[in-house]
Amino acid sequence: MARQMTGAKMVVQALKDQGVDTVFGYPGGAVLPIYDEVFQQNDIKHVLVRHEQGAVHAAEGYARSTGKPGVVLVTSGPGATNAVTGLADALLDSIPLVVLTGQVPTFMIGSDGFQEADTVGITRPCTKHNWLVKETNALSPTLHEAFHVATTGRPGPVLIDIPKDVQFATGTYTAPVKGGSKRYQPQVKGDMQAITALVDALETAKKPIFYTGGGVINSGDAASQLLRELVDATGFPITSTLMGLGAYPASGKNWLGMLGMHGLYEANMAMHGCDLMINIGARFDDRITGRTDAFSPHSIKAHIDIDPSSINKVIHVDIPIVGDVAHVLEDMLKVWKSRGRKTNADGLAKWWKQIEEWKAVNCLTYKNSDKIIKPQYALQRLEALTKRHDRYITTEVGQHQMWAAQFLHFDDPNRWMTSGGLGTMGYGFPASIGVQMAHPDALVINVAGEASWLMNMQEMGTAMQYRLPVKQFILNNERLGMVRQWQQLLHGERYSSSWSEALPDFVKLAEAFGAKGIQCKDPADLEDAIMEMINYDGPVIFDCLVEKHENCFPMIPSGEPHNKMLLGDASTKDAIKEGGAVLV
């Protein structure tokens, strides 16, 4: 039944009708009518961040860990422009967000009024869709459509720009329509002819591999369960992108680990040498493909993706299937089972024998020390001491992120939050706040580098205000670690602006916010220090002083194919030569 109410009240009512329980935001003049309505209700929690970029990353963490859309409320002008980095991040990583921005009154648009910016124009390239609502009667339908667009098909961020006079004016509120907007209904069922062709290839392949991405996780728990069933039933090896970790369990017998620029040797070699590559919910990102003309040169390639624009965008595929991962996997399993569950057993046995030889290279081997903490060792101990907890991991961006992906293991989806496509330094801390808001009793750890962490350090205020016991595990090498590594290996050891100077005392910084600070520099003290962090009931900044010039291996150098990897341990020299990789 239609009801009369102000635009500001419509916003809050629409959020309630869409099942929203948490909003991340920062008030300002152009959204005060909405904030006034937020104040007058108790169903929706508002989290006051310290910067609008933090609000969007927090909403991303909330969305990624729950499967529900994250919601952001910020003011006009700088409030909206500060949100742009988070929007671009969410677009590349397919994170469903609804961002609400205030705008100057409609009669002032285009006049360069105070805190006016062309928010719709600025955010058009970094949103899935955006709207400027100039009529109060159009506001509630637009809000409901925004949630539908953000969560349907390939998820992504949407933005609604709401002028202040539209918030004050009275109009007609309409409830959400079941099934969402008829104007946007992406294809979810895959073409059965293509699915049958994929099953044909699956039955005869001698060297198959499943290559999975974040699309499996975005498709929901059913997709992850179907993937596990298919992998275990066929006995095929499986690898994953950075964004897909957890869709198939790291403890699973068919798991090869992550692939890509800093992926595992066996995963990259299997991708290069396979004869059937089944891409499920990944987008052939350049960090995965390496040099495209040399990418998996002898394989039949299938690609399952709900986004038609991702098919044949980077890599030409032989079997394209547009559809939702869960629907397509369900149909694939039905067809394959009905035809007798056939695979090429002899070929598969030889393929696994080859993969075991690649695994024997032990590409994550590193030279440990009893004098200084190696970053790999720090993460191995973190994994051992936290894996039995109800644990969620976020990361910043850099070497620590790649080491976390290599050494932390995920058996379930939605437990790993990281910035993949945009590589946003400053993502992890606010994302951990969003995760902790969604899972108040869980152990939430942000694996960080000191340079990335400083980008949004102000969110310690948010963590303290809302008593969020997020743990900031900083691998402090006093360097922009990944930049320094590239400069060492590819730029003649010319370390241009890659050394952090004038770093804060992180223990004192934590104490200044009223949080717990811990510093550890001796490997012998590391385990006790990590346990102290875990057991402390409140926010912690853990300053882990690590080897300053440790490099992250394996590494595919820019412009090289999958089988040309840099590895760091001389003990594997003979095995590496056979794989065609380069030894550092």
Side-chain angles (χ1 to χ4, degrees), residues 431-455:
S432 72
I433 285 172
V435 174
Q436 193 79 76
M437 281 298 301
H439 308 278
D441 299 324
L443 174 62
V444 180
I445 302 170
N446 176 38
V447 177
E450 81 290 341
S452 279
W453 193 84
L454 288 172
M455 292 232 172

Side-chain angles (χ1 to χ4, degrees), residues 70-374:
V71 180
V72 176
L73 175 59
V74 296
T75 195
S76 63
T81 58
N82 281 347
V84 165
T85 298
L87 289 168
D89 188 271
L91 185 70
L92 278 171
D93 285 347
S94 306
I95 309 298
L97 298 181
V98 176
V99 177
L100 309 175
T101 57
Q103 184 55 274
V104 299
T106 54
F107 57 85
M108 288 181 61
I109 291 175
S111 70
D112 293 336
F114 177 65
Q115 291 194 330
E116 181 188 359
D118 178 11
T119 301
V120 166
I122 291 167
T123 61
R124 186 171 287 118
C126 56
T127 53
K128 188 176 175 184
H129 197 63
N130 62 15
W131 297 262
L132 170 63
V133 181
K134 293 185 177 181
E135 299 287 341
T136 306
N137 283 338
L139 184 54
S140 58
T142 304
L143 286 159
H144 299 316
E145 185 174 17
F147 276 90
H148 176 73
V149 172
T151 57
T152 306
R154 178 180 176 178
V158 299
L159 180 142
I160 308 175
D161 202 28
I162 312 172
K164 194 168 184 178
D165 56 334
V166 172
Q167 299 169 41
F168 275 125
T170 299
T172 303
Y173 178 82
T174 55
V177 179
K178 193 174 181 181
S181 168
K182 289 186 170 59
R183 292 188 294 174
Y184 180 62
Q185 294 291 343
Q187 178 181 331
V188 294
K189 295 287 283 182
D191 177 72
M192 286 306 297
Q193 193 171 345
I195 290 171
T196 303
L198 177 52
V199 172
D200 283 338
L202 182 151
E203 289 173 341
T204 57
K206 295 178 181 177
K207 297 185 287 183
I209 190 167
F210 287 111
Y211 151 41
T212 58
V216 180
I217 294 169
N218 287 340
S219 183
D221 289 345
S224 293
Q225 289 303 321
L226 288 162
L227 174 69
R228 291 164 190 228
E229 183 183 347
L230 182 62
V231 172
D232 293 341
T234 58
F236 290 3
I238 178 171
T239 182
S240 164
T241 65
L242 183 72
M243 298 302 297
L245 297 176
Y248 182 84
S251 60
K253 66 182 190 306
N254 295 17
W255 177 240
L256 301 188
M258 183 180 74
L259 80 156
M261 179 171 279
H262 292 285
L264 272 63
Y265 182 73
E266 52 266 34
N268 284 331
M269 291 302 293
M271 283 284 281
H272 186 80
C274 69
D275 66 357
L276 173 64
M277 177 190 299
I278 305 172
N279 175 338
I280 308 175
R283 58 187 179 88
F284 292 111
D285 176 73
D286 63 280
R287 288 300 190 255
I288 299 303
T289 62
R291 205 176 83 221
T292 54
D293 65 346
F295 174 66
S296 192
H298 306 299
S299 63
I300 294 170
K301 298 175 181 68
H303 189 182
I304 303 167
D305 205 298
I306 198 162
D307 181 3
S309 72
S310 288
I311 307 280
N312 292 326
K313 184 177 186 178
V314 177
I315 297 292
H316 175 78
V317 297
D318 306 285
I319 308 172
I321 303 174
V322 176
D324 177 71
V325 166
H327 284 284
V328 174
L329 290 182
E330 185 177 28
D331 287 339
M332 256 183 85
L333 271 162
K334 281 179 184 172
V335 173
W336 180 66
K337 287 176 181 177
S338 70
R339 290 167 47 146
R341 298 169 173 258
K342 294 193 290 285
T343 58
N344 185 332
D346 290 344
L348 203 54
K350 290 175 185 172
W351 182 224
W352 271 111
K353 186 180 178 185
Q354 171 64 77
I355 289 170
E356 292 303 324
E357 289 176 12
W358 288 327
K359 280 186 177 182
V361 169
N362 291 322
C363 68
L364 296 183
T365 300
Y366 63 95
K367 292 175 182 173
N368 208 356
S369 167
D370 58 2
K371 302 283 193 301
I372 190 164
I373 298 172
K374 290 296 184 92

